Amino acid sequence: MDVISKFDDKGPAWYWNVLHLGEHTGTHFDAPVHWITGKDLPNNTCETIPARRFVGPACVIDVSREVAGNEDFLLMPDHVVAWEKTNGKIPKDSWCCCARTGASEPRRRRS
């Protein structure tokens, strides 16, 4: 992340950053056709996916405590299995595409 302005001469009324992200980090919607496993599915491109497929139950895996203790924490399949043991199996056709990390909260700079 690069700071553009922080309530200074470059931008006295706003704090503004440039984020540099990898392509597959949640910055866009990926249609099934984007992946080899979805390339042959029917209705696999953005303009052909039925609107009803964009709505469904959501499952949130809260790993904010883990992230607070380790900013390099990586969600692994065993975390999902543990979540399911507590909360039940993730339902078919539900959304579970991100985890609550607390990462959007301001961090204190370490000395």
Side-chain angles (χ1 to χ4, degrees):
M1 181 170 76
D2 295 323
V3 176
I4 296 174
S5 63
K6 193 169 184 178
F7 313 112
D8 53 20
D9 291 339
K10 297 175 188 172
W14 53 86
Y15 179 23
W16 189 20
N17 300 301
V18 171
L19 300 176
H20 303 273
L21 303 170
E23 179 183 6
H24 300 289
T25 57
T27 59
H28 64 283
F29 173 79
D30 275 337
V33 72
H34 187 96
W35 302 101
I36 189 98
T37 53
K39 73 179 186 64
D40 296 321
L41 293 175
N43 300 316
N44 64 355
T45 59
C46 290
E47 76 280 3
T48 64
I49 298 172
R52 70 180 180 284
R53 298 243 356 248
F54 292 100
V55 179
C59 298
V60 177
I61 300 174
D62 186 346
V63 293
S64 53
R65 188 178 330 141
E66 291 84 349
V67 172
N70 174 10
E71 63 185 30
D72 294 324
F73 173 80
L74 183 61
L75 183 70
M76 299 297 287
D78 359 340
H79 298 113
V80 176
V81 170
W83 185 91
E84 287 184 323
K85 283 182 182 174
T86 302
N87 300 282
K89 194 88 171 137
I90 294 172
K92 182 179 181 339
D93 295 328
S94 66
W95 294 89
C96 188
C97 56
C98 63
R100 181 177 294 137
T101 65
S104 62
E105 299 166 8
R107 286 193 188 152
R108 292 185 183 164
R109 184 175 290 259
R110 296 181 185 169
S111 306

